[in-house]
């Protein structure tokens, strides 16, 4: 897991980039997508972060996708791999090969 916090243009607001890099032989599927989604939802709801001033981008990276992951990556109206965006746009989850 890699993590980086970036300050935004407005004072006291931040964007957090969290990258989960899976081992080369791991085929990304329902289990791995479930892990990143659970982590993203838990962390972004943590009371230590000001929800009005904090944005999150979670990125799951692997060498191969199974059929479930490929289908999950094909959300209509979004770029391939953008599997989740919160209602307020503050939390985004991506899957990439």
């Amino acid at each position: 897991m890699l993590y980086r916090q970036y300050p935004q243009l407005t004072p006291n607001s931040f964007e957090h980039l969290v990258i989960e890099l899976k081992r080369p032989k791991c085929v990304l599927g329902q289990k791995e997508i479930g892990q990143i989604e659970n982590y993203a939802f838990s962390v972004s709801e943590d009371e230590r972060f000001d929800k009005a001033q904090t944005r999150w981008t979670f990125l799951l990276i692997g060498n191969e996708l199974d059929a479930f992951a490929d289908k999950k990556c094909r959300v209509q109206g979004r770029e391939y791999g953008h599997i989740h965006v919160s209602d307020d746009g503050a939390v985004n989850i991506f899957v990439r090969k």
Side-chain angles (χ1 to χ4, degrees):
M1 182 85 55
L2 305 169
Y3 165 81
R4 175 75 178 175
Q5 179 182 353
Y6 297 93
Q8 295 294 300
L9 296 176
T10 56
N12 297 321
S13 66
F14 299 94
E15 179 164 347
H16 299 270
L17 174 62
V18 180
I19 301 171
E20 183 170 352
L21 182 61
K22 293 297 189 178
R23 70 184 185 280
K25 291 185 180 183
C26 179
V27 177
L28 301 182
Q30 187 172 8
K31 177 183 170 189
E32 292 75 22
I33 289 174
Q35 287 173 340
I36 194 77
E37 287 176 328
N38 287 333
Y39 185 69
F41 301 149
S42 296
V43 170
S44 65
E45 289 297 318
D46 191 304
E47 62 190 33
R48 292 175 286 182
F49 300 104
D50 181 353
K51 292 181 188 25
Q53 300 291 330
T54 306
R55 299 180 56 81
W56 295 92
T57 301
F58 293 85
L59 183 58
L60 174 63
I61 301 175
N63 282 345
E64 189 176 345
L65 307 177
D66 71 6
F68 174 87
D70 182 61
K71 185 169 179 105
K72 184 91 172 176
C73 287
R74 296 178 189 276
V75 177
Q76 189 172 12
R78 284 189 244 150
E79 67 178 286
Y80 182 83
H82 190 184
I83 63 169
H84 175 82
V85 60
S86 62
D87 292 338
D88 62 1
V91 179
N92 288 279
I93 305 173
F94 295 87
V95 175
R96 294 282 192 253
K97 289 197 314 183

